[in-house]
Short mmCIF file of all heavy atoms in Angstrom, two decimals:
data_model
loop_
_atom_site.label_atom_id
_atom_site.label_comp_id
_atom_site.label_asym_id
_atom_site.label_seq_id
_atom_site.Cartn_x
_atom_site.Cartn_y
_atom_site.Cartn_z
N MET B 283 13.17 -16.45 11.38
CA MET B 283 13.06 -16.90 10.01
C MET B 283 14.45 -16.86 9.36
O MET B 283 15.22 -15.95 9.59
CB MET B 283 12.14 -15.97 9.21
CG MET B 283 10.69 -16.01 9.61
SD MET B 283 9.71 -14.80 8.66
CE MET B 283 8.86 -15.90 7.56
N THR B 284 14.67 -17.82 8.54
CA THR B 284 15.92 -17.84 7.78
C THR B 284 15.80 -16.90 6.58
O THR B 284 14.68 -16.48 6.24
CB THR B 284 16.24 -19.26 7.26
OG1 THR B 284 15.25 -19.62 6.29
CG2 THR B 284 16.29 -20.27 8.38
N GLN B 285 16.90 -16.57 5.96
CA GLN B 285 16.89 -15.71 4.78
C GLN B 285 16.03 -16.31 3.69
O GLN B 285 15.32 -15.60 2.99
CB GLN B 285 18.31 -15.46 4.28
CG GLN B 285 19.13 -14.59 5.20
CD GLN B 285 18.58 -13.20 5.31
OE1 GLN B 285 17.66 -12.95 6.09
NE2 GLN B 285 19.10 -12.28 4.55
N GLU B 286 16.10 -17.61 3.53
CA GLU B 286 15.31 -18.29 2.50
C GLU B 286 13.81 -18.19 2.82
O GLU B 286 13.00 -17.95 1.92
CB GLU B 286 15.71 -19.77 2.41
CG GLU B 286 15.02 -20.50 1.26
CD GLU B 286 15.53 -21.92 1.10
OE1 GLU B 286 16.75 -22.14 1.20
OE2 GLU B 286 14.70 -22.79 0.84
N GLU B 287 13.44 -18.34 4.07
CA GLU B 287 12.04 -18.22 4.48
C GLU B 287 11.52 -16.80 4.29
O GLU B 287 10.38 -16.60 3.84
CB GLU B 287 11.87 -18.64 5.93
CG GLU B 287 12.04 -20.12 6.16
CD GLU B 287 12.09 -20.49 7.64
OE1 GLU B 287 12.60 -19.68 8.44
OE2 GLU B 287 11.62 -21.60 7.96
N ILE B 288 12.36 -15.82 4.57
CA ILE B 288 11.97 -14.43 4.38
C ILE B 288 11.74 -14.15 2.89
O ILE B 288 10.76 -13.51 2.51
CB ILE B 288 13.04 -13.48 4.94
CG1 ILE B 288 13.08 -13.59 6.48
CG2 ILE B 288 12.81 -12.04 4.50
CD1 ILE B 288 14.25 -12.89 7.12
N LYS B 289 12.63 -14.65 2.04
CA LYS B 289 12.45 -14.46 0.60
C LYS B 289 11.17 -15.13 0.11
O LYS B 289 10.42 -14.54 -0.66
CB LYS B 289 13.66 -15.00 -0.15
CG LYS B 289 13.57 -14.78 -1.65
CD LYS B 289 14.72 -15.40 -2.40
CE LYS B 289 14.67 -15.23 -3.89
NZ LYS B 289 13.40 -15.11 -4.53
N GLU B 290 10.92 -16.33 0.58
CA GLU B 290 9.72 -17.04 0.18
C GLU B 290 8.46 -16.28 0.65
O GLU B 290 7.48 -16.18 -0.08
CB GLU B 290 9.72 -18.46 0.75
CG GLU B 290 8.57 -19.31 0.28
CD GLU B 290 8.69 -20.74 0.79
OE1 GLU B 290 9.81 -21.26 0.90
OE2 GLU B 290 7.63 -21.32 1.08
N PHE B 291 8.51 -15.77 1.88
CA PHE B 291 7.39 -14.99 2.43
C PHE B 291 7.12 -13.77 1.56
O PHE B 291 5.98 -13.51 1.17
CB PHE B 291 7.75 -14.58 3.87
CG PHE B 291 6.73 -13.73 4.55
CD1 PHE B 291 5.49 -14.25 4.90
CD2 PHE B 291 7.01 -12.42 4.86
CE1 PHE B 291 4.53 -13.47 5.55
CE2 PHE B 291 6.07 -11.63 5.51
CZ PHE B 291 4.84 -12.15 5.86
N LYS B 292 8.16 -13.04 1.21
CA LYS B 292 8.00 -11.84 0.40
C LYS B 292 7.53 -12.18 -1.04
O LYS B 292 6.70 -11.48 -1.61
CB LYS B 292 9.29 -11.05 0.34
CG LYS B 292 9.61 -10.36 1.64
CD LYS B 292 10.88 -9.56 1.57
CE LYS B 292 11.14 -8.83 2.89
NZ LYS B 292 12.37 -8.01 2.82
N ASP B 293 8.03 -13.27 -1.59
CA ASP B 293 7.61 -13.70 -2.92
C ASP B 293 6.12 -14.05 -2.91
O ASP B 293 5.38 -13.73 -3.85
CB ASP B 293 8.41 -14.91 -3.39
CG ASP B 293 9.84 -14.55 -3.79
OD1 ASP B 293 10.15 -13.36 -3.92
OD2 ASP B 293 10.66 -15.49 -3.91
N THR B 294 5.68 -14.71 -1.86
CA THR B 294 4.27 -15.09 -1.73
C THR B 294 3.39 -13.84 -1.64
O THR B 294 2.35 -13.78 -2.29
CB THR B 294 4.05 -15.99 -0.50
OG1 THR B 294 4.85 -17.17 -0.64
CG2 THR B 294 2.59 -16.38 -0.35
N ILE B 295 3.82 -12.87 -0.87
CA ILE B 295 3.06 -11.60 -0.78
C ILE B 295 2.98 -10.96 -2.15
O ILE B 295 1.92 -10.52 -2.57
CB ILE B 295 3.71 -10.65 0.23
CG1 ILE B 295 3.60 -11.21 1.66
CG2 ILE B 295 3.08 -9.25 0.16
CD1 ILE B 295 4.39 -10.43 2.69
N ALA B 296 4.11 -10.90 -2.82
CA ALA B 296 4.16 -10.23 -4.13
C ALA B 296 3.26 -10.91 -5.15
O ALA B 296 2.59 -10.24 -5.95
CB ALA B 296 5.59 -10.19 -4.64
N LYS B 297 3.20 -12.23 -5.13
CA LYS B 297 2.43 -12.97 -6.13
C LYS B 297 0.95 -13.04 -5.80
O LYS B 297 0.12 -13.05 -6.71
CB LYS B 297 2.97 -14.38 -6.25
CG LYS B 297 4.34 -14.45 -6.91
CD LYS B 297 4.85 -15.87 -6.93
CE LYS B 297 6.29 -15.93 -7.40
NZ LYS B 297 6.85 -17.28 -7.28
N THR B 298 0.61 -13.13 -4.52
CA THR B 298 -0.78 -13.41 -4.17
C THR B 298 -1.54 -12.22 -3.57
O THR B 298 -2.75 -12.10 -3.78
CB THR B 298 -0.89 -14.59 -3.20
OG1 THR B 298 -0.17 -14.26 -1.98
CG2 THR B 298 -0.31 -15.85 -3.80
N ILE B 299 -0.85 -11.38 -2.83
CA ILE B 299 -1.55 -10.31 -2.11
C ILE B 299 -1.48 -8.98 -2.83
O ILE B 299 -2.47 -8.27 -2.94
CB ILE B 299 -1.01 -10.19 -0.66
CG1 ILE B 299 -1.28 -11.51 0.09
CG2 ILE B 299 -1.65 -9.01 0.05
CD1 ILE B 299 -0.69 -11.56 1.49
N ILE B 300 -0.30 -8.60 -3.32
CA ILE B 300 -0.12 -7.29 -3.93
C ILE B 300 -1.10 -7.06 -5.10
O ILE B 300 -1.70 -5.99 -5.18
CB ILE B 300 1.34 -7.05 -4.35
CG1 ILE B 300 2.25 -7.01 -3.12
CG2 ILE B 300 1.48 -5.77 -5.18
CD1 ILE B 300 1.91 -5.91 -2.12
N PRO B 301 -1.32 -8.02 -5.99
CA PRO B 301 -2.29 -7.75 -7.06
C PRO B 301 -3.70 -7.43 -6.53
O PRO B 301 -4.41 -6.65 -7.14
CB PRO B 301 -2.28 -9.05 -7.88
CG PRO B 301 -0.96 -9.66 -7.59
CD PRO B 301 -0.64 -9.29 -6.17
N VAL B 302 -4.05 -8.00 -5.41
CA VAL B 302 -5.39 -7.79 -4.84
C VAL B 302 -5.49 -6.45 -4.15
O VAL B 302 -6.49 -5.75 -4.26
CB VAL B 302 -5.73 -8.92 -3.84
CG1 VAL B 302 -7.06 -8.67 -3.16
CG2 VAL B 302 -5.74 -10.27 -4.55
N VAL B 303 -4.44 -6.04 -3.42
CA VAL B 303 -4.51 -4.81 -2.62
C VAL B 303 -4.06 -3.57 -3.37
O VAL B 303 -4.12 -2.47 -2.82
CB VAL B 303 -3.70 -4.95 -1.31
CG1 VAL B 303 -4.19 -6.09 -0.49
CG2 VAL B 303 -2.21 -5.05 -1.57
N GLN B 304 -3.62 -3.71 -4.59
CA GLN B 304 -3.06 -2.58 -5.33
C GLN B 304 -4.01 -1.37 -5.35
O GLN B 304 -3.56 -0.25 -5.27
CB GLN B 304 -2.72 -3.02 -6.77
CG GLN B 304 -1.72 -2.12 -7.43
CD GLN B 304 -0.38 -2.07 -6.70
OE1 GLN B 304 0.15 -3.07 -6.25
NE2 GLN B 304 0.16 -0.89 -6.57
N ASN B 305 -5.30 -1.60 -5.45
CA ASN B 305 -6.26 -0.49 -5.52
C ASN B 305 -7.06 -0.34 -4.24
O ASN B 305 -8.11 0.32 -4.26
CB ASN B 305 -7.21 -0.71 -6.70
CG ASN B 305 -6.45 -0.65 -8.01
OD1 ASN B 305 -5.65 0.26 -8.23
ND2 ASN B 305 -6.69 -1.60 -8.88
N MET B 306 -6.59 -0.90 -3.15
CA MET B 306 -7.27 -0.78 -1.87
C MET B 306 -6.61 0.30 -1.03
O MET B 306 -5.44 0.61 -1.21
CB MET B 306 -7.21 -2.13 -1.11
CG MET B 306 -7.97 -3.24 -1.79
SD MET B 306 -7.75 -4.83 -0.96
CE MET B 306 -8.70 -4.57 0.51
N THR B 307 -7.39 0.86 -0.10
CA THR B 307 -6.84 1.84 0.83
C THR B 307 -6.13 1.09 1.97
O THR B 307 -6.34 -0.10 2.17
CB THR B 307 -7.94 2.71 1.43
OG1 THR B 307 -8.79 1.89 2.25
CG2 THR B 307 -8.75 3.42 0.35
N GLU B 308 -5.32 1.84 2.72
CA GLU B 308 -4.63 1.24 3.84
C GLU B 308 -5.64 0.74 4.88
O GLU B 308 -5.44 -0.32 5.49
CB GLU B 308 -3.68 2.26 4.48
CG GLU B 308 -2.50 2.58 3.61
CD GLU B 308 -1.59 3.63 4.21
OE1 GLU B 308 -1.57 3.78 5.46
OE2 GLU B 308 -0.87 4.28 3.44
N GLU B 309 -6.73 1.46 5.06
CA GLU B 309 -7.77 1.05 6.00
C GLU B 309 -8.41 -0.28 5.58
O GLU B 309 -8.64 -1.16 6.41
CB GLU B 309 -8.83 2.14 6.12
CG GLU B 309 -9.90 1.84 7.15
CD GLU B 309 -10.92 2.95 7.27
OE1 GLU B 309 -10.54 4.12 7.14
OE2 GLU B 309 -12.07 2.61 7.51
N GLN B 310 -8.67 -0.43 4.29
CA GLN B 310 -9.27 -1.68 3.80
C GLN B 310 -8.30 -2.85 4.02
O GLN B 310 -8.74 -3.94 4.40
CB GLN B 310 -9.60 -1.55 2.32
CG GLN B 310 -10.75 -0.62 2.04
CD GLN B 310 -10.90 -0.34 0.55
OE1 GLN B 310 -9.93 -0.18 -0.19
NE2 GLN B 310 -12.16 -0.28 0.09
N ILE B 311 -7.04 -2.63 3.78
CA ILE B 311 -6.04 -3.68 3.97
C ILE B 311 -6.01 -4.08 5.44
O ILE B 311 -6.00 -5.26 5.78
CB ILE B 311 -4.65 -3.21 3.48
CG1 ILE B 311 -4.67 -2.96 1.98
CG2 ILE B 311 -3.58 -4.25 3.85
CD1 ILE B 311 -3.45 -2.21 1.45
N ARG B 312 -5.97 -3.09 6.33
CA ARG B 312 -5.91 -3.35 7.77
C ARG B 312 -7.15 -4.13 8.21
O ARG B 312 -7.05 -5.07 9.01
CB ARG B 312 -5.79 -2.02 8.52
CG ARG B 312 -5.92 -2.14 10.02
CD ARG B 312 -4.97 -3.11 10.64
NE ARG B 312 -3.65 -2.55 10.78
CZ ARG B 312 -2.61 -3.29 11.12
NH1 ARG B 312 -2.74 -4.57 11.35
NH2 ARG B 312 -1.42 -2.75 11.22
N GLU B 313 -8.33 -3.77 7.70
CA GLU B 313 -9.57 -4.47 8.07
C GLU B 313 -9.51 -5.94 7.68
O GLU B 313 -9.92 -6.81 8.47
CB GLU B 313 -10.78 -3.81 7.41
CG GLU B 313 -11.14 -2.46 7.99
CD GLU B 313 -12.26 -1.78 7.26
OE1 GLU B 313 -12.95 -2.43 6.43
OE2 GLU B 313 -12.47 -0.58 7.49
N ILE B 314 -9.01 -6.24 6.52
CA ILE B 314 -8.91 -7.64 6.05
C ILE B 314 -7.93 -8.42 6.94
O ILE B 314 -8.23 -9.53 7.36
CB ILE B 314 -8.49 -7.72 4.57
CG1 ILE B 314 -9.61 -7.19 3.70
CG2 ILE B 314 -8.09 -9.14 4.20
CD1 ILE B 314 -9.26 -7.05 2.25
N ILE B 315 -6.80 -7.81 7.25
CA ILE B 315 -5.83 -8.50 8.11
C ILE B 315 -6.43 -8.76 9.49
O ILE B 315 -6.26 -9.83 10.05
CB ILE B 315 -4.53 -7.68 8.20
CG1 ILE B 315 -3.81 -7.71 6.85
CG2 ILE B 315 -3.62 -8.24 9.30
CD1 ILE B 315 -2.60 -6.83 6.76
N THR B 316 -7.17 -7.79 10.03
CA THR B 316 -7.82 -7.96 11.32
C THR B 316 -8.82 -9.10 11.29
O THR B 316 -8.87 -9.92 12.23
CB THR B 316 -8.50 -6.65 11.76
OG1 THR B 316 -7.50 -5.62 11.84
CG2 THR B 316 -9.18 -6.79 13.11
N LEU B 317 -9.60 -9.19 10.23
CA LEU B 317 -10.56 -10.28 10.10
C LEU B 317 -9.87 -11.63 10.03
O LEU B 317 -10.29 -12.60 10.68
CB LEU B 317 -11.43 -10.09 8.83
CG LEU B 317 -12.44 -8.99 8.88
CD1 LEU B 317 -13.07 -8.80 7.49
CD2 LEU B 317 -13.53 -9.28 9.90
N VAL B 318 -8.80 -11.71 9.28
CA VAL B 318 -8.06 -12.96 9.16
C VAL B 318 -7.45 -13.36 10.50
O VAL B 318 -7.50 -14.54 10.88
CB VAL B 318 -6.96 -12.86 8.08
CG1 VAL B 318 -6.04 -14.07 8.11
CG2 VAL B 318 -7.59 -12.70 6.70
N GLU B 319 -6.93 -12.39 11.25
CA GLU B 319 -6.35 -12.69 12.56
C GLU B 319 -7.42 -13.23 13.52
O GLU B 319 -7.16 -14.15 14.30
CB GLU B 319 -5.71 -11.44 13.18
CG GLU B 319 -4.38 -11.09 12.57
CD GLU B 319 -3.75 -9.88 13.21
OE1 GLU B 319 -4.43 -8.84 13.36
OE2 GLU B 319 -2.57 -9.98 13.58
N LYS B 320 -8.63 -12.68 13.44
CA LYS B 320 -9.72 -13.17 14.30
C LYS B 320 -10.12 -14.60 13.95
O LYS B 320 -10.45 -15.40 14.83
CB LYS B 320 -10.94 -12.25 14.20
CG LYS B 320 -10.73 -10.93 14.89
CD LYS B 320 -11.96 -10.04 14.75
CE LYS B 320 -11.71 -8.69 15.41
NZ LYS B 320 -12.85 -7.80 15.24
N GLU B 321 -10.09 -14.91 12.66
CA GLU B 321 -10.48 -16.25 12.21
C GLU B 321 -9.38 -17.30 12.46
O GLU B 321 -9.65 -18.47 12.50
CB GLU B 321 -10.82 -16.22 10.72
CG GLU B 321 -12.09 -15.45 10.43
CD GLU B 321 -12.37 -15.37 8.95
OE1 GLU B 321 -11.68 -16.04 8.15
OE2 GLU B 321 -13.32 -14.63 8.59
N HIS B 322 -8.14 -16.85 12.59
CA HIS B 322 -7.00 -17.75 12.77
C HIS B 322 -6.23 -17.36 14.02
O HIS B 322 -5.16 -16.75 13.95
CB HIS B 322 -6.08 -17.70 11.53
CG HIS B 322 -6.77 -18.07 10.26
ND1 HIS B 322 -7.05 -19.36 9.93
CD2 HIS B 322 -7.31 -17.31 9.28
CE1 HIS B 322 -7.68 -19.39 8.77
NE2 HIS B 322 -7.85 -18.16 8.35
N GLU B 323 -6.76 -17.74 15.15
CA GLU B 323 -6.19 -17.37 16.43
C GLU B 323 -4.79 -17.97 16.67
O GLU B 323 -4.08 -17.52 17.55
CB GLU B 323 -7.13 -17.77 17.58
CG GLU B 323 -8.43 -17.00 17.53
CD GLU B 323 -9.42 -17.48 18.56
OE1 GLU B 323 -9.10 -18.43 19.30
OE2 GLU B 323 -10.52 -16.90 18.63
N ASN B 324 -4.45 -18.96 15.88
CA ASN B 324 -3.15 -19.63 16.07
C ASN B 324 -2.00 -18.89 15.38
O ASN B 324 -0.84 -19.31 15.49
CB ASN B 324 -3.20 -21.08 15.56
CG ASN B 324 -3.57 -21.15 14.08
OD1 ASN B 324 -4.24 -20.28 13.54
ND2 ASN B 324 -3.18 -22.23 13.43
N LEU B 325 -2.26 -17.77 14.72
CA LEU B 325 -1.19 -17.00 14.10
C LEU B 325 -0.30 -16.40 15.20
O LEU B 325 -0.81 -16.02 16.24
CB LEU B 325 -1.75 -15.86 13.24
CG LEU B 325 -2.42 -16.27 11.93
CD1 LEU B 325 -3.09 -15.07 11.27
CD2 LEU B 325 -1.39 -16.89 11.00
N PRO B 326 1.00 -16.31 14.96
CA PRO B 326 1.90 -15.74 15.96
C PRO B 326 1.57 -14.29 16.28
O PRO B 326 1.09 -13.54 15.41
CB PRO B 326 3.28 -15.84 15.31
CG PRO B 326 3.14 -16.70 14.12
CD PRO B 326 1.70 -16.73 13.76
N GLU B 327 1.84 -13.88 17.50
CA GLU B 327 1.64 -12.50 17.94
C GLU B 327 2.46 -11.57 17.04
O GLU B 327 3.62 -11.80 16.78
CB GLU B 327 2.08 -12.35 19.39
CG GLU B 327 1.86 -10.98 19.97
CD GLU B 327 0.41 -10.66 20.23
OE1 GLU B 327 -0.36 -11.60 20.50
OE2 GLU B 327 0.07 -9.49 20.15
N GLY B 328 1.83 -10.53 16.55
CA GLY B 328 2.51 -9.56 15.71
C GLY B 328 2.56 -9.91 14.23
O GLY B 328 3.06 -9.11 13.44
N PHE B 329 2.04 -11.07 13.85
CA PHE B 329 2.11 -11.48 12.44
C PHE B 329 1.34 -10.50 11.56
O PHE B 329 1.81 -10.09 10.49
CB PHE B 329 1.55 -12.89 12.24
CG PHE B 329 1.57 -13.34 10.83
CD1 PHE B 329 2.74 -13.81 10.26
CD2 PHE B 329 0.42 -13.28 10.03
CE1 PHE B 329 2.76 -14.22 8.93
CE2 PHE B 329 0.45 -13.68 8.71
CZ PHE B 329 1.62 -14.15 8.15
N GLY B 330 0.16 -10.07 11.99
CA GLY B 330 -0.66 -9.16 11.22
C GLY B 330 0.04 -7.85 10.98
O GLY B 330 0.01 -7.29 9.87
N ASN B 331 0.71 -7.32 12.00
CA ASN B 331 1.44 -6.06 11.86
C ASN B 331 2.59 -6.22 10.88
O ASN B 331 2.83 -5.33 10.05
CB ASN B 331 1.95 -5.57 13.20
CG ASN B 331 0.84 -5.07 14.10
OD1 ASN B 331 -0.20 -4.64 13.63
ND2 ASN B 331 1.07 -5.16 15.40
N MET B 332 3.31 -7.33 10.99
CA MET B 332 4.43 -7.58 10.08
C MET B 332 3.93 -7.67 8.63
O MET B 332 4.52 -7.09 7.71
CB MET B 332 5.16 -8.86 10.46
CG MET B 332 6.31 -9.20 9.53
SD MET B 332 7.17 -10.76 9.93
CE MET B 332 5.88 -11.94 9.66
N LEU B 333 2.83 -8.39 8.44
CA LEU B 333 2.26 -8.55 7.11
C LEU B 333 1.81 -7.20 6.56
O LEU B 333 2.10 -6.84 5.42
CB LEU B 333 1.09 -9.52 7.15
CG LEU B 333 0.37 -9.77 5.83
CD1 LEU B 333 1.32 -10.34 4.79
CD2 LEU B 333 -0.82 -10.69 6.05
N TYR B 334 1.13 -6.42 7.37
CA TYR B 334 0.66 -5.09 6.98
C TYR B 334 1.83 -4.21 6.53
O TYR B 334 1.76 -3.57 5.48
CB TYR B 334 -0.09 -4.47 8.14
CG TYR B 334 -0.66 -3.09 7.86
CD1 TYR B 334 -1.72 -2.92 6.98
CD2 TYR B 334 -0.14 -1.97 8.49
CE1 TYR B 334 -2.24 -1.66 6.73
CE2 TYR B 334 -0.66 -0.71 8.24
CZ TYR B 334 -1.70 -0.56 7.36
OH TYR B 334 -2.21 0.69 7.11
N GLU B 335 2.89 -4.19 7.32
CA GLU B 335 4.05 -3.38 6.98
C GLU B 335 4.67 -3.84 5.65
O GLU B 335 5.01 -3.01 4.80
CB GLU B 335 5.10 -3.47 8.08
CG GLU B 335 4.71 -2.75 9.34
CD GLU B 335 5.69 -2.99 10.47
OE1 GLU B 335 6.73 -3.64 10.27
OE2 GLU B 335 5.41 -2.50 11.57
N GLN B 336 4.81 -5.14 5.46
CA GLN B 336 5.39 -5.65 4.21
C GLN B 336 4.52 -5.30 3.02
O GLN B 336 5.03 -4.95 1.95
CB GLN B 336 5.59 -7.16 4.29
CG GLN B 336 6.76 -7.57 5.14
CD GLN B 336 8.07 -6.99 4.64
OE1 GLN B 336 8.39 -7.06 3.48
NE2 GLN B 336 8.81 -6.39 5.57
N ILE B 337 3.21 -5.40 3.18
CA ILE B 337 2.30 -5.08 2.09
C ILE B 337 2.45 -3.62 1.70
O ILE B 337 2.57 -3.28 0.52
CB ILE B 337 0.84 -5.39 2.49
CG1 ILE B 337 0.63 -6.89 2.55
CG2 ILE B 337 -0.14 -4.75 1.50
CD1 ILE B 337 -0.71 -7.32 3.15
N LEU B 338 2.48 -2.72 2.69
CA LEU B 338 2.60 -1.30 2.38
C LEU B 338 3.95 -0.98 1.72
O LEU B 338 4.00 -0.20 0.77
CB LEU B 338 2.42 -0.45 3.65
CG LEU B 338 1.03 -0.48 4.27
CD1 LEU B 338 0.97 0.48 5.43
CD2 LEU B 338 -0.05 -0.14 3.25
N ILE B 339 5.00 -1.58 2.22
CA ILE B 339 6.32 -1.36 1.63
C ILE B 339 6.30 -1.77 0.16
O ILE B 339 6.76 -1.05 -0.73
CB ILE B 339 7.41 -2.12 2.41
CG1 ILE B 339 7.64 -1.47 3.77
CG2 ILE B 339 8.71 -2.17 1.60
CD1 ILE B 339 8.48 -2.29 4.74
N MET B 340 5.79 -2.95 -0.10
CA MET B 340 5.77 -3.46 -1.48
C MET B 340 4.82 -2.66 -2.37
O MET B 340 5.12 -2.38 -3.53
CB MET B 340 5.38 -4.93 -1.49
CG MET B 340 6.43 -5.82 -0.92
SD MET B 340 5.87 -7.53 -0.99
CE MET B 340 7.30 -8.36 -0.32
N LYS B 341 3.67 -2.30 -1.79
CA LYS B 341 2.69 -1.55 -2.58
C LYS B 341 3.21 -0.19 -3.01
O LYS B 341 3.07 0.20 -4.15
CB LYS B 341 1.40 -1.39 -1.76
CG LYS B 341 0.32 -0.61 -2.47
CD LYS B 341 -0.94 -0.49 -1.63
CE LYS B 341 -1.93 0.40 -2.36
NZ LYS B 341 -3.19 0.53 -1.67
N TYR B 342 3.81 0.53 -2.07
CA TYR B 342 4.23 1.90 -2.38
C TYR B 342 5.61 2.01 -2.99
O TYR B 342 5.90 2.97 -3.71
CB TYR B 342 4.11 2.77 -1.13
CG TYR B 342 2.67 2.95 -0.71
CD1 TYR B 342 2.23 2.54 0.54
CD2 TYR B 342 1.74 3.50 -1.57
CE1 TYR B 342 0.90 2.71 0.91
CE2 TYR B 342 0.41 3.66 -1.21
CZ TYR B 342 0.01 3.27 0.04
OH TYR B 342 -1.31 3.42 0.40
N ASN B 343 6.47 1.05 -2.72
CA ASN B 343 7.81 1.09 -3.31
C ASN B 343 7.87 0.36 -4.63
O ASN B 343 8.81 0.53 -5.39
CB ASN B 343 8.85 0.49 -2.34
CG ASN B 343 9.13 1.40 -1.19
OD1 ASN B 343 8.90 2.60 -1.23
ND2 ASN B 343 9.63 0.82 -0.13
N GLY B 344 6.90 -0.48 -4.89
CA GLY B 344 6.87 -1.22 -6.14
C GLY B 344 7.96 -2.25 -6.27
O GLY B 344 8.21 -2.78 -7.34
N ARG B 345 8.63 -2.56 -5.15
CA ARG B 345 9.71 -3.58 -5.21
C ARG B 345 9.19 -4.88 -4.65
O ARG B 345 9.00 -5.05 -3.48
CB ARG B 345 10.90 -3.11 -4.39
CG ARG B 345 11.60 -1.93 -4.99
CD ARG B 345 12.83 -1.62 -4.25
NE ARG B 345 12.50 -1.29 -2.85
CZ ARG B 345 13.28 -0.67 -2.02
NH1 ARG B 345 14.47 -0.30 -2.43
NH2 ARG B 345 12.92 -0.41 -0.78
N TYR B 346 8.95 -5.78 -5.58
CA TYR B 346 8.54 -7.12 -5.20
C TYR B 346 8.84 -8.00 -6.31
O TYR B 346 9.16 -8.89 -6.58
CB TYR B 346 7.05 -7.20 -4.81
CG TYR B 346 6.12 -6.40 -5.69
CD1 TYR B 346 5.61 -6.94 -6.85
CD2 TYR B 346 5.74 -5.11 -5.36
CE1 TYR B 346 4.75 -6.20 -7.64
CE2 TYR B 346 4.89 -4.39 -6.13
CZ TYR B 346 4.39 -4.95 -7.28
OH TYR B 346 3.54 -4.21 -8.04
#
């Protein structure tokens, strides 16, 4: 990913996902990501883990 793509990815998480997961547990977040991965088999290997990590970083650090 280019720097611009990474910024866009993080901005999208901040705008669309963080407001939804703010009051969810880590387990609930992981369950949703697992469900989405099952429904979208064409996602790249490791995408769910990367997304999960970014969500937790943004959720707990408040930087987004």
Side-chain angles (χ1 to χ4, degrees):
M283 293 177 105
T284 66
Q285 290 296 83
E286 186 175 319
E287 289 170 328
I288 292 170
K289 183 183 179 331
E290 186 175 324
F291 178 69
K292 289 181 178 182
D293 288 347
T294 300
I295 293 171
K297 290 177 187 173
T298 61
I299 297 175
I300 295 300
V302 175
V303 302
Q304 201 61 42
N305 295 314
M306 295 174 72
T307 66
E308 291 178 25
E309 184 178 325
Q310 290 171 320
I311 296 167
R312 172 55 79 190
E313 288 176 13
I314 291 173
I315 291 173
T316 300
L317 288 172
V318 170
E319 285 181 311
K320 287 179 183 177
E321 292 177 7
H322 302 282
E323 295 175 358
N324 60 333
L325 288 173
E327 183 72 29
F329 179 80
N331 289 334
M332 178 182 64
L333 178 60
Y334 180 70
E335 289 173 5
Q336 285 300 312
I337 289 171
L338 293 184
I339 289 168
M340 290 180 178
K341 179 179 176 177
Y342 293 121
N343 287 339
R345 292 186 299 197
Y346 41 86

